[in-house]
Amino acid sequence: MKAAEFKRRRRQLMGMMGPDSVAILPTGGETVRNRDVHYPFRPDSDFYYLTGFGEPNAVMVLVPGRRHGEFILFCREKDPEKELWDGYRAGLEGAVADFGADDAFPIDDLDEILPGLLEERERVFYAMGSDPAFDKRLSDWVSQVRARSRAGVYGPIEFLALDHYLHDMRLYKSRAELSVMRRAARLSARAHSELMRGCEPGMFEYQLAAQFSHHCQMQGAAHLAYPSIVGGGDNACVLHYVENGDVLRDGDLVLIDAGCEVECYASDITRTFPVNGRFNAAQRALYELVLEAQLAAIDKVRPGNLWIDPHRAAVRVLTKGLLRLGLLRGTLAKALKSEAYARFFMHRTGHWLGMDVHDVGDYKIDGHWRELEPGMVLTVEPGLYVPRGAKGVAKKWQGMGIRIEDDVAVTKGEPDVLTRDVPKSIEQIEALMA
Ligand code: GLY
Ligand code: MN
Ligand code: MN
């Protein structure tokens, strides 16, 4: 993504903040996994959204109208010895030259410099509560400024939730963001298709998970957006099953929920297909029902509709179908009212998607479901889960978990299914696996 995109975002935020304000946003440090080994570092999404800066131990400060520059980056200094061991650092020079900072300071000087940046600033934009240690430091800096009030220095009097402003911005994807999300979606879609093509009875769940990572990494996506879920048969009924340890059996379905991350943007796809490449009659009936629900839900992803409309459409189709197949009893009206479907479909039909797989952004405004608007991206992922031993359910339905998940962008017109490249009709799946 180009530096101009990050600059545009900072401008937009500073426009909302107004003069006499300051925004402070840290990214994390590295976390020890075990002695001398760290977990792979992933920058804080909000921080990366505004800076494009992917190193640990950094703090962004925005000071609208500051004469010596509005965008200040505190980061690690260049250090040939440390870089020899641990890799390249942009340093203060790089922060300015490559990331557009107006000013850059060593992260170790934060306590010394930050109080001065709070002087004469009435409003502080900061996400309180996400990092208690940093909250404490900020409150110390504010106290230091207030202690100088007799010298005529005035400090902040108002604190505002930076995350609230940023998360609303992040909900509306720009053209540049959509293009990165499209790429992540395409890579994941290709990987899912390869898994479908190569799956055979006797393989292990972890082998499909490994193949998914392999395909993504071979195409340049180093990271997954979340740990892959590969559940054969009954395992698919555990919603966040990540053990991926069992063998895939002839006659079972397998559910794969996996997506890669590109430039810190997520994709999130689920497909369910027969391990041996052919649906049996019961699998076919339940699968067709979930697919019908998913298509009905996707058709509701249109501007002016409410966030909840796709979910309501899916629930209606699923309930009707469950009644028809005999998994539920009674009338449609009663079954909808009592939410009887929830026994077999216990999650929502989707979530916002962006830099975080369960992305930020409010689903309700003033207690009312939000309207969909162009630029929003969400997943549509209805499912049906019938575990082995489910009481009062015919044997033929048991041991099946089915979910079909696509990533969909709201446009002025038709829903834009970013993940459309993975087959999902029974004909397409059986043809690919034949
Ligand atoms: N992969 C997590 C989800 O689908 O929400
Ligand atoms: Mn998913
Ligand atoms: Mn999802």
Side-chain angles (χ1 to χ4, degrees), residues 226 257 268-270 350-351 353 357-358 379 381 403 405 407:
Y226 55 92
D257 184 346
D268 183 7
I269 303 180
T270 308
H351 48 82
L353 184 73
V357 62
H358 293 171
T379 67
E381 49 177 309
R403 178 163 67 252
E405 174 174 32
D407 304 343

Side-chain angles (χ1 to χ4, degrees), residues 29-105:
E30 286 180 299
T31 307
V32 173
R33 180 177 183 275
N34 58 318
R35 192 178 167 81
D36 288 349
V37 179
H38 294 101
Y39 285 104
F41 178 74
R42 159 64 156 78
D44 174 81
S45 296
D46 285 339
F47 177 88
Y48 193 84
Y49 179 77
L50 290 175
T51 63
F53 192 74
E55 292 182 25
N57 298 322
V59 175
M60 179 214 75
V61 182
L62 293 181
V63 199
R66 177 172 171 267
R67 216 175 313 129
H68 302 297
E70 301 178 308
F71 170 32
I72 302 165
L73 204 51
F74 290 84
C75 63
R76 304 178 305 182
E77 289 180 273
K78 283 200 83 66
D79 181 335
E81 165 108 11
K82 290 227 169 78
E83 290 182 58
L84 172 68
W85 285 91
D86 300 329
Y88 175 78
R89 296 175 173 193
L92 309 183
E93 305 80 356
V96 172
D98 303 331
F99 296 91
D102 297 313
D103 243 346
F105 300 106

Side-chain angles (χ1 to χ4, degrees), residues 320-339:
K320 263 192 190 166
L322 290 168
L323 287 166
R324 191 182 67 235
L325 297 175
L327 281 115
L328 292 179
R329 266 164 222 114
T331 66
L332 178 63
K334 274 207 182 118
L336 284 172
K337 189 149 187 266
S338 66
E339 300 187 354

Side-chain angles (χ1 to χ4, degrees), residues 68 155 166 209 225 239 346:
H68 302 297
L166 273 180
L239 296 180
M346 56 299 281

